[in-house]
Amino acid sequence: MAKKVEVKELLEAGVHFGHLTRKWNPNMAPYIYMERNGIHVINLYKTAAKLEEASEALKKIASSGRKILFVATKKQAKDIVAEKVANVNMPYITERWPGGMLTNFVTIRKAVKKMASIDRMKKDGTFNTLSKKERLQVDRLRAKLEKNLGSISEMTRLPGALFIVDTMREHIAVKEAQKLNIPIFAMVDTNSDPRPIDYIIPSNDDASKSIEVILTKVTSAIAEGLTERKSEKQADNEGEEVKAPKAKKRISEAVDKEGVKESKPKAAKKEKEAAAVAEAPVKKEAPKKDKKAAADDLTKVEGIGPKISEVFQEAGITSFAELAVKTEDDLKTILAGAGARYASKNPASWPKQAKMAAEGKWDELKEWQDNTKAGVE
């Protein structure tokens, strides 16, 4: 488990320094400890608690196999984000935010594919058949695409969450994520509005040391989630490998035992029965699990984040099958009852996605999610 962040560590990194009091956003009042020399001081105990909460949610998203897109285009954060996030193999934007990056993802994917096609041209020799001028133009285009979109070339579908450094600067990214119901995690300073953010980390988003401390904690939580996912996959594969030899052994043992005692016709009959017994474990019911373990991971439905998943679980919706039978109005009523921030969400496609997940049509679900804008048809 990742080491818990100490308040002293946050203090030394200058996470508590806010903006000038005249630039403050009144919505940040609950996270401000005091004012000193015309500058607001952030309450680090609240920062530590919110950081733990955000880390747990990010760990859960990473373990579900979804990507988390990091956005930080300011000078102080660029290099830190690129270094830390690359270590956990997550996509990031450190240059200009391309307008429509999320809401027009299909077009952005075309630009990424263009980059891949240029690489193929260079490998198969087609590139060398072009004139000198054309080669120069293609190289320039490739360099431009690499600079702006190189870090998201592995992101084949919309991300499961967004992590933003400085929501004031990245306001377009915030609006796009809101429109598509993508959970937003962010470092929020005293001059920013925390209301559109799902997971707030009140902190100094201007100092490089402050950004580094927060990102170190966040990326270590994501790394844990990825490790968990890997170990679960290995355990599943080993379980399947062990089942097959056991079944064969039972068949041979049953045949040998009965073959000694009985005549050939009877032995043949028993062999058939033994084969049927060996097949039985494949069809047997799975062992009963407690309610918590039986709950499906609803975050695999595009548009449902960890917090909305918790809201549904509290309302008694714990599986894809239960979500699939709900109507859009039922889901809107549940979301409205959970608070104003959830009332604006659009759950129109969630039952459809849940039905595909409940029927085990994962490839069909993934294709549908890739071809739509975060579940908005």
Side-chain angles (χ1 to χ4, degrees):
M1 191 176 172
K3 188 182 76 171
K4 196 173 179 180
V5 171
E6 297 291 333
V7 173
K8 188 182 177 184
E9 191 182 345
L10 297 174
L11 185 70
E12 286 170 357
V15 177
H16 60 296
F17 290 119
H19 276 268
L20 294 170
T21 50
R22 70 171 185 272
K23 290 185 178 180
W24 82 310
N25 188 310
N27 293 303
M28 281 298 289
Y31 307 103
I32 293 171
Y33 177 66
M34 65 181 291
E35 174 198 333
R36 177 169 287 185
N37 299 331
I39 292 173
H40 277 130
V41 176
I42 296 166
N43 189 333
L44 289 181
Y45 288 99
K46 288 191 177 181
T47 299
K50 288 287 182 182
L51 182 56
E52 285 299 322
E53 184 190 340
S55 297
E56 278 303 310
L58 286 166
K59 181 180 171 182
K60 190 177 176 183
I61 292 168
S63 65
S64 73
R66 304 293 299 279
K67 293 283 185 185
I68 298 150
L69 177 62
F70 285 74
V71 185
T73 59
K74 67 194 321 182
K75 193 179 177 182
Q76 306 94 300
K78 272 185 186 184
D79 296 338
I80 297 165
V81 168
E83 182 191 340
K84 299 279 182 188
V85 178
N87 292 338
V88 290
N89 198 26
M90 287 291 169
Y92 57 90
I93 297 285
T94 53
E95 296 300 324
R96 182 184 66 85
W97 172 265
M101 168 74 206
L102 302 176
T103 51
N104 196 15
F105 186 68
V106 176
T107 307
I108 298 293
R109 278 299 300 162
K110 283 179 185 173
V112 173
K113 284 175 183 174
K114 176 71 178 170
M115 196 162 64
S117 72
I118 292 170
D119 291 338
R120 279 198 299 275
M121 281 171 63
K122 288 185 176 181
K123 281 182 183 176
D124 62 22
T126 316
F127 183 74
N128 296 325
T129 62
L130 302 174
S131 66
K132 187 178 178 182
K133 186 179 180 180
E134 285 173 330
R135 286 203 302 270
L136 192 61
Q137 286 173 338
V138 169
D139 276 334
R140 281 176 184 163
L141 176 63
R142 176 70 178 78
K144 186 182 177 182
L145 291 170
E146 178 63 41
K147 184 183 177 185
N148 293 322
L149 304 173
S151 56
I152 60 158
S153 57
E154 300 298 318
M155 195 172 78
T156 55
R157 55 183 287 197
L158 284 163
L162 235 68
F163 188 98
I164 297 171
V165 178
D166 194 347
T167 54
M168 291 277 283
R169 189 183 178 98
E170 317 299 346
H171 63 280
I172 300 170
V174 172
K175 283 178 182 173
E176 286 191 31
Q178 268 188 297
K179 192 174 182 181
L180 300 178
N181 298 332
I182 296 172
I184 306 168
F185 297 73
M187 290 179 67
V188 184
D189 213 327
T190 56
N191 67 331
S192 306
D193 186 359
R195 288 175 298 179
I197 313 303
D198 296 297
Y199 291 86
I200 302 154
I201 304 171
S203 53
N204 178 1
D205 61 15
D206 293 310
S208 55
K209 277 188 179 179
S210 170
I211 295 166
E212 189 171 2
V213 165
I214 302 293
L215 279 172
T216 300
K217 170 65 181 171
V218 164
T219 50
S220 65
I222 291 170
E224 268 186 39
L226 293 171
T227 306
E228 271 182 25
R229 181 175 170 78
K230 195 176 178 182
S231 59
E232 279 173 18
K233 275 189 176 180
Q234 284 176 348
D236 289 344
N237 292 339
E238 284 170 11
E240 285 171 14
E241 285 170 11
V242 169
K243 270 185 186 177
K246 277 189 178 179
K248 285 181 183 176
K249 196 177 178 184
R250 280 181 192 172
I251 293 169
S252 60
E253 281 177 3
V255 171
D256 293 344
K257 202 173 182 182
E258 297 301 329
V260 175
K261 290 182 184 177
E262 301 185 20
S263 59
K264 282 183 181 180
K266 284 187 178 180
K269 189 181 177 184
K270 291 289 179 181
E271 187 176 344
K272 283 181 183 177
E273 286 174 9
V277 169
E279 286 172 15
V282 180
K283 295 176 183 176
K284 72 177 181 181
E285 289 180 10
K288 285 184 181 179
K289 297 179 183 179
D290 55 82
K291 265 191 177 180
K292 221 172 188 180
D296 291 330
D297 183 6
L298 299 180
T299 59
K300 287 182 179 176
V301 171
E302 199 84 66
I304 296 181
K307 282 197 173 180
I308 294 178
S309 176
E310 285 171 19
V311 168
F312 283 160
Q313 283 174 12
E314 284 169 14
I317 303 171
T318 58
S319 67
F320 294 123
E322 288 168 348
L323 180 58
V325 297
K326 296 290 180 185
T327 64
E328 183 182 348
D329 292 334
D330 292 339
L331 298 177
K332 279 185 175 177
T333 305
I334 294 167
L335 292 170
R341 76 156 46 160
Y342 304 111
S344 62
K345 304 294 181 186
N346 181 7
S349 69
W350 297 353
K352 181 180 177 178
Q353 293 183 64
K355 190 181 178 185
M356 284 188 266
E359 292 170 358
K361 298 177 181 175
W362 296 107
D363 291 337
E364 191 181 322
L365 176 61
K366 186 178 183 298
E367 187 181 346
W368 185 89
Q369 289 174 340
D370 288 344
N371 292 332
T372 53
K373 298 177 181 179
V376 180
E377 290 183 289

